[in-house]
Amino acid sequence: VGQLTNLVGELESFFTLTYVPAKAVTYQKGTPRIFQYQISEEPLDKFNVTSNEIDGIVNLVFSENADDLSFDIKKQPILHGLYTNTQQIAEFLQEIKTIDKALTFVVDDNVAKKELNELKSHIIDSLNMMINDQLFGKSSSVKWYFEGKEIDIPNKKKFNSVLSQIINKTYPATPVYRNELMNKTKVSSSIHYAKKKFIDALIENWNKPDLGFAPNRFPPEKSIYFTLLKQTGIHQQNIAFAEFKEPTKGSSFEKLWKESHKFLQSARVGKRSFTEFIDTLSKKPYKLKNGFIEFWLLSFLFINREDYALFRDGIYVPRITKEVAELFYREAHK
């Protein structure tokens, strides 16, 4: 059996670390923040994950030429971890490679195949246990870097705290919004029904207190209204009727409100697609989740319906109806 020539390539088949949540910032702001583990021979320098669910990368670097590597990578949500001792990992991979070769000689020997596969499973488990054990603590063989600076991460608690710090630095404009019903990448089917009820109330009862929701009942659509429009100060009750206003001064929604108005202002120069609006809110410094964007899009566009002209397939749409509002997000993602 030849020696390993591509440690990362061999390791990818057996590497079991997948995702890790940034718990503190998720609790503080309400938006779920997830990091994905990726392994490489050289430090990743760009956040190339297209999934709306992934917000950052934990890049574990396995290299025999550590002195030649640079971790001075700015403005990217990437935490780099450099393994300083890859010898034992290489030995485990070499053993697995040897077992795979041996298995080709015992095709008709079920007893030998069973023994070899059990040994292989044990080595794979030991490999992943060792990788996990070396991430933190006294036995750690990993040096951690963020934006070129080495960080001391002695345990999992500190590790998770660092992930939250990275999120806060990368996405500082994310509003505080604690509603797990819709603040996620994929919403449940029950929320799609709640969205229809929310749209009905928004369009038909926009000038009524609490959008006309019954005071003694709390369906999901009312919870969404309270957290998205009422508690933020966007929908307020005056003496005679309710009306829409800017978010309360000092609210975490101020930047999002201004960014959304900036998009409408840009449409004065030429037509803009809702897709462009959604893309803006899906990236830095916001990185909002799809569920939140969908409700924000239809709410903001209805609130400011007098400030723009709406077209669909080149045809002017004179007013926003329930059917039109349903299409805002869905049509943009076709």
Side-chain angles (χ1 to χ4, degrees):
V1 178
Q3 294 297 311
L4 290 175
T5 57
N6 184 355
L7 186 145
V8 169
E10 296 285 348
L11 183 59
E12 281 179 332
S13 300
F14 313 107
F15 189 75
T16 58
L17 292 174
T18 52
Y19 307 101
V20 57
K23 296 179 182 178
V25 71
T26 296
Y27 173 77
Q28 291 163 3
K29 291 197 171 182
T31 301
R33 295 303 187 188
I34 305 294
F35 278 74
Q36 182 181 50
Y37 281 99
Q38 291 189 17
I39 61 176
S40 62
E41 291 184 352
E42 296 185 357
L44 300 178
D45 59 0
K46 289 184 179 179
F47 178 62
N48 286 326
V49 178
T50 56
S51 170
N52 182 255
E53 188 173 5
I54 306 304
D55 307 290
I57 294 172
V58 177
N59 176 213
L60 300 181
V61 181
F62 299 85
S63 176
E64 296 178 356
N65 303 308
D67 294 338
D68 299 329
L69 302 178
S70 173
F71 295 90
D72 191 18
I73 298 160
K74 307 292 187 182
K75 298 181 180 180
Q76 296 291 325
I78 304 175
L79 177 65
H80 296 97
L82 172 65
Y83 270 81
T84 58
N85 180 13
T86 60
Q87 182 60 38
Q88 193 174 3
I89 294 173
E91 291 174 359
F92 274 125
L93 292 172
Q94 189 70 31
E95 288 186 52
I96 294 171
K97 194 175 181 181
T98 304
I99 293 172
D100 284 339
K101 183 68 174 180
L103 282 167
T104 65
F105 292 99
V106 293
V107 176
D108 298 322
D109 190 336
N110 291 329
V111 175
K113 283 168 61 178
K114 180 180 178 182
E115 291 289 337
L116 287 170
N117 280 316
E118 287 179 354
L119 178 59
K120 180 179 177 180
S121 294
H122 173 70
I123 294 173
I124 292 173
D125 290 342
S126 299
L127 171 64
N128 279 284
M129 188 178 298
M130 184 195 66
I131 290 174
N132 276 285
D133 289 344
Q134 290 187 357
L135 288 176
F136 320 107
K138 294 181 180 179
S139 61
S140 175
S141 297
V142 180
K143 289 184 178 180
W144 295 99
Y145 298 88
F146 178 62
E147 295 191 337
K149 295 181 180 180
E150 187 173 349
I151 303 174
D152 180 32
I153 302 182
N155 50 52
K156 288 185 178 180
K157 183 177 180 180
K158 176 65 175 179
F159 173 67
N160 212 274
S161 174
V162 169
L163 296 184
S164 291
Q165 291 170 25
I166 292 172
I167 290 296
N168 278 325
K169 184 170 185 178
T170 308
Y171 312 118
T174 305
V176 176
Y177 187 74
R178 301 186 185 94
N179 188 324
E180 61 183 17
L181 294 174
M182 51 170 276
N183 199 4
K184 56 179 67 176
T185 303
K186 295 180 180 179
V187 296
S188 65
S189 56
S190 62
I191 296 305
H192 286 293
Y193 176 75
K195 184 185 75 171
K196 291 182 179 181
K197 303 297 288 184
F198 175 79
I199 291 174
D200 289 348
L202 185 67
I203 293 177
E204 295 179 357
N205 303 321
W206 66 268
N207 59 351
K208 295 181 181 179
D210 295 343
L211 295 187
F213 288 119
N216 57 343
R217 300 182 63 188
F218 293 90
E221 56 270 21
K222 184 177 179 181
S223 175
I224 292 168
Y225 159 71
F226 263 74
T227 52
L228 186 64
L229 300 180
K230 185 168 184 175
Q231 293 176 1
T232 57
I234 295 174
H235 192 242
Q236 298 182 15
Q237 170 67 26
N238 288 328
I239 297 175
F241 56 88
E243 62 180 346
F244 295 112
K245 293 186 176 182
E246 293 184 5
T248 305
K249 191 171 182 180
S251 166
S252 63
F253 274 69
E254 276 190 304
K255 291 181 180 179
L256 175 59
W257 181 268
K258 290 178 180 178
E259 184 70 46
S260 301
H261 268 287
K262 182 179 176 182
F263 174 81
L264 289 186
Q265 290 296 322
S266 68
R268 294 178 182 274
V269 179
K271 289 182 181 179
R272 298 289 303 274
S273 166
F274 286 168
T275 305
E276 297 175 87
F277 190 17
I278 293 169
D279 287 344
T280 298
L281 302 183
S282 299
K283 299 175 183 177
K284 295 189 296 185
Y286 301 94
K287 192 63 165 62
L288 305 175
K289 299 302 178 183
N290 291 335
F292 177 89
I293 292 176
E294 184 171 3
F295 278 89
W296 176 256
L297 185 72
L298 66 90
S299 298
F300 181 81
L301 291 176
F302 178 78
I303 291 169
N304 296 277
R305 58 195 178 282
E306 304 297 332
D307 296 338
Y308 62 91
L310 184 64
F311 292 83
R312 184 188 180 201
D313 297 329
I315 300 174
Y316 173 63
V317 179
R319 64 192 184 92
I320 298 177
T321 63
K322 301 174 189 177
E323 294 73 22
V324 171
E326 277 279 359
L327 296 174
F328 281 167
Y329 190 80
R330 190 171 65 201
E331 289 282 303
H333 276 71
K334 278 191 175 182

